[in-house]
Amino acid sequence: MRNKRNQSVLILGAGLAGLAAGYELVKAGFEVTIVEKEEAVGGLARTIEVNGFRFDTGPHRWYTKNDMVNNWMLKLLGHEVTKVPRQTRIYFDHKFFNYPIKIKDTLLGMGLWLTFRAVVDYALVRFQQLFIKNEPVTLEEGFVSQFGRTLYEIFFKRYSEKLWGTSCKNIAADWIGQRTRGLNIVTIIKNALFSSQKIVSFVDEFAYPKKGIGRIAEKMAEEIVQAGGKILVNSQVTEIFHKNNVIISVSLNDNEKFEVAADQVVSTIPLSEVVAFLKPKAPLEIANVNSKLTYRDQIQVALFINKTHLTSDTWIYVHSLELPFVRVMEMDNWNADLSPKGTTSLVFEVTCNEGDSVWLMSDVEIVDMVTQSFIKEFNLISKQDLLGSYVHRAPKEYPVYHIGYKKDVAKIKDFLQQFKNLQLIGRNGIFRYNNMDHSIEMGLFAAWNIIEGERKFDIEEVNIEREYLEEKKIFGKEFELPEDQHVEELH
Ligand SMILES: Cc1cc2nc3c(=O)[nH]c(=O)nc-3n(C[C@H](O)[C@H](O)[C@H](O)COP(=O)(O)OP(=O)(O)OC[C@H]3O[C@@H](n4cnc5c(N)ncnc54)[C@H](O)[C@@H]3O)c2cc1C
């Protein structure tokens, strides 16, 4: 057995989790190889550059309650980090609603009668809950118990079903926990009246790398390579070989067998793939449970526009079913330097399932669909303003929490625990709806476990907090940059 410092580590996937693990390990003197199936690092949190336009793969703002992870990121990026004011609206029934909700707008937008019904409904469910305490199972039950049926039907149902492509009855209530924790009518109204800034979705400014969110991954990758680590892109793991409860090798791109000199393996690739790729195969019972794990996929369409600041928003939630996208973000409002002077880019998120009719549309068709619907509905640009476009197909953006998923995931993880040199981390890696900070924290924990030579840091403990995720103001008193750094205001 080699001494601890000489151990080599194979990391599957170069998203934030895999890179954070690699970064810590390589700095501690370990031999690190990261394999990544895409042509670039960053996974779900990438910034793509096309003809001078830098755009993110979906809106990513940095916020965390974890000072350790926050300081770690700020130390990594230093002066590259800036501060972005958040401006978010909801587009609903051909109207914009401010987010956080403002009472006057809501009354004008929803009408007095509907607002009255929503409040009565909400009071009713709260009253019922004094006597009957049922844990909601489905997303529908979760929304209704938290917001009342009226708000669920007119507001949450439509957006959620557009996002998931299935009924809210088929998704587990747990998803709400992480998405709208702490958001209820009382806090919404309190916030609208008193502008308290304590609630997650109300964080009004956030940290952001000036050159796009992908800089977090890019910077880690640069430093890993500089310190002697290897990152192999375009290298897709297709088989994972094991013997005597140890992972011994993986094969890449269906042909080349890549021997793991490694004593340790850290996997961030989707949990279901780890099981499916095992050689010898997993028992039938596990394979059957594994086949229940599914993901929601997305196509991101970037349009490059010959105008600036088309909107005032960092992003807009689009509830309208007749529009094919769930969100649109404007890069100018994150940092105007992300696009060439006098231009901006819009990024539209079209959710779908890999292999369905939307996924299979050609790039030209999908750009046409998005452009036409955007021009027709918002009348902000004409076709002549379009300088170019780019289509990014992003599989497995969201782990789908099917009813009963917790038990299924636990069974799979129990089975995989037999592999003593394998740690599972990351959003799809452990099938948990992680934010960037959680994935980084998991990466750090996996690395420190290897460095320490024992599993001192519990990866399963990350991202299970019960409090609201965004309670803490990231640029508040608790948040301090290292002394030699400063944060520039962006206006
Ligand atoms: C649209 C969207 C918006 C988001 N907004 C925010 C936000 O505002 N704030 C926030 O904090 N978080 C946000 N997130 C979450 C954040 O993006 C993720 O938590 C984080 O990027 C996950 O990192 P990861 O390393 O765990 O997983 P991933 O990024 O999925 O990394 C896994 C890597 O493994 C690679 N891989 C997969 N299969 C294989 C294989 N077989 N062989 C080799 N490589 C493979 C993938 O290509 C990928 O690079 C958002 C996510 C999405 C989808």
Side-chain angles (χ1 to χ4, degrees):
M1 184 71 183
R2 294 190 281 167
N3 93 37
K4 205 173 76 186
R5 293 279 149 178
N6 288 337
Q7 281 193 347
S8 57
V9 184
L10 177 72
I11 299 173
L12 314 183
L16 295 178
L19 289 167
Y23 179 92
E24 289 291 294
L25 285 162
V26 90
K27 301 249 163 186
F30 286 76
E31 194 186 312
V32 171
T33 305
I34 307 182
V35 291
E36 166 57 50
K37 73 174 175 146
E38 298 293 333
E39 73 287 358
V41 300
L44 298 175
R46 267 177 73 185
T47 300
I48 298 177
E49 182 160 351
V50 177
N51 298 334
F53 290 89
R54 278 181 75 85
F55 60 91
D56 293 345
T57 51
H60 278 80
R61 69 198 157 121
W62 176 268
Y63 58 82
T64 181
K65 285 177 66 183
N66 186 324
D67 288 340
M68 182 275 289
V69 178
N70 203 31
N71 291 331
W72 188 91
M73 190 284 281
L74 291 168
K75 193 159 171 242
L76 176 81
L77 284 186
H79 293 287
E80 289 195 37
V81 179
T82 185
K83 198 160 74 161
V84 172
R86 171 189 173 143
Q87 159 83 9
T88 326
R89 284 183 297 168
I90 296 171
Y91 192 67
F92 181 87
D93 278 350
H94 310 288
K95 289 187 257 308
F96 281 105
F97 287 79
N98 278 317
Y99 189 82
I101 293 166
K102 300 232 165 53
I103 286 196
K104 204 174 105 215
D105 287 359
T106 316
L107 283 172
L108 287 176
M110 272 187 11
L112 250 177
W113 168 237
L114 221 51
T115 310
F116 173 74
R117 251 181 58 194
V119 172
V120 170
D121 248 14
Y122 173 75
L124 205 69
V125 288
R126 279 291 129 122
F127 184 69
Q128 278 169 352
Q129 280 164 11
L130 293 176
F131 306 101
I132 317 161
K133 286 223 161 24
N134 279 341
E135 269 297 301
V137 175
T138 67
L139 198 52
E140 173 171 307
E141 290 167 10
F143 279 134
V144 171
S145 70
Q146 203 169 330
F147 301 102
R149 185 153 287 277
T150 304
L151 272 184
Y152 163 67
E153 302 240 318
I154 58 171
F155 193 68
F156 295 100
K157 182 174 193 287
R158 202 188 311 182
Y159 188 77
S160 302
E161 295 190 350
K162 191 175 176 188
L163 176 69
W164 293 110
T166 185
S167 160
C168 287
K169 294 187 169 88
N170 299 331
I171 306 282
D174 282 21
W175 187 69
I176 310 180
Q178 282 163 312
R179 194 72 193 191
T180 53
R181 206 176 279 157
L183 197 66
N184 60 44
I185 279 203
V186 175
T187 44
I188 288 171
I189 290 174
K190 259 206 233 151
N191 192 77
L193 290 175
F194 305 115
S195 279
S196 124
Q197 289 173 338
K198 285 239 164 99
I199 305 154
V200 69
S201 299
F202 300 169
V203 170
D204 58 2
E205 61 188 14
F206 50 85
Y208 184 71
K210 290 175 199 164
K211 288 193 166 173
I213 201 66
R215 277 303 296 158
I216 305 179
E218 289 167 11
K219 186 76 194 293
M220 281 195 272
E222 283 160 21
E223 297 215 8
I224 290 170
V225 172
Q226 232 167 47
K230 282 195 211 120
I231 301 178
L232 311 177
V233 291
N234 294 315
S235 300
Q236 178 165 15
V237 177
T238 49
E239 289 170 306
I240 301 176
F241 298 92
H242 62 96
K243 199 174 173 185
N244 300 333
N245 297 338
V246 172
I247 305 292
I248 47 167
S249 62
V250 300
S251 72
L252 300 178
N253 302 338
D254 281 329
N255 47 47
E256 186 189 341
K257 193 161 173 200
F258 185 81
E259 288 299 331
V260 186
D263 314 285
Q264 299 289 337
V265 179
V266 176
S267 174
T268 77
I269 69 173
L271 183 64
S272 55
E273 290 191 355
V274 173
V275 175
F277 294 164
L278 285 176
K279 293 276 154 70
K281 281 186 188 323
L284 193 61
E285 186 202 354
I286 297 297
N288 285 340
V289 175
N290 196 46
S291 65
K292 291 204 232 164
L293 302 193
T294 59
Y295 307 83
R296 185 73 166 152
D297 312 301
Q298 193 176 89
I299 301 178
Q300 289 137 8
V301 180
L303 299 184
F304 311 131
I305 317 278
N306 201 9
K307 284 185 172 174
T308 58
H309 295 285
L310 289 169
T311 70
S312 52
D313 305 88
T314 32
W315 69 90
I316 299 168
Y317 294 101
V318 181
H319 285 227
S320 317
L321 293 178
E322 62 279 14
L323 295 171
F325 40 90
V326 286
R327 255 188 322 201
V328 51
M329 69 189 292
E330 180 168 5
M331 296 318 299
D332 252 12
N333 300 328
W334 297 67
N335 185 352
D337 293 343
L338 291 166
S339 318
K341 216 170 176 358
T343 66
T344 189
S345 59
L346 297 170
V347 182
F348 299 83
E349 293 171 85
V350 179
T351 45
C352 54
N353 291 330
E354 209 174 336
D356 72 8
S357 58
V358 176
W359 184 267
L360 293 176
M361 285 169 97
S362 69
D363 288 4
V364 173
E365 284 169 332
I366 195 140
V367 168
D368 263 8
M369 175 178 83
V370 165
T371 312
Q372 279 176 25
S373 59
F374 179 71
I375 292 178
K376 188 161 165 245
E377 186 72 24
F378 297 95
N379 202 19
L380 291 171
I381 54 164
S382 66
K383 268 210 151 168
Q384 287 69 38
D385 297 317
L386 201 59
L387 297 170
S389 60
Y390 188 85
V391 175
H392 177 241
R393 284 179 170 70
K396 300 189 173 59
E397 290 266 297
Y398 298 92
V400 176
Y401 285 180
H402 63 264
I403 310 295
Y405 81 100
K406 255 190 191 154
K407 244 169 78 191
D408 294 338
V409 168
K411 203 165 194 172
I412 293 169
K413 287 183 187 163
D414 260 9
F415 164 75
L416 290 172
Q417 262 188 6
Q418 67 181 288
F419 301 112
K420 299 295 171 226
N421 64 340
L422 173 69
Q423 291 187 85
L424 304 171
I425 58 167
R427 173 152 153 144
N428 290 330
I430 73 157
F431 210 81
R432 190 174 295 165
Y433 189 73
N434 272 6
N435 279 320
M436 294 183 286
D437 58 327
H438 304 124
S439 278
I440 289 176
E441 190 178 354
M442 286 181 184
L444 300 180
F445 278 14
W448 296 344
N449 284 336
I450 293 172
I451 294 166
E452 293 284 326
E454 57 178 305
R455 302 278 168 100
K456 278 193 180 165
F457 299 90
D458 190 351
I459 288 153
E460 286 294 326
E461 283 295 310
V462 178
N463 188 15
I464 54 162
E465 58 194 339
R466 291 282 158 256
E467 306 149 73
Y468 209 15
L469 287 176
E470 296 171 51
E471 246 164 28
K472 186 163 181 169
K473 274 197 78 184
I474 52 168
F475 282 92
K477 263 193 223 126
E478 309 86 342
F479 176 95
E480 275 171 21
L481 283 167
E483 279 187 350
D484 60 331
Q485 296 171 18
H486 68 281
V487 172
E488 281 173 19
E489 290 277 352
L490 251 197
H491 293 289

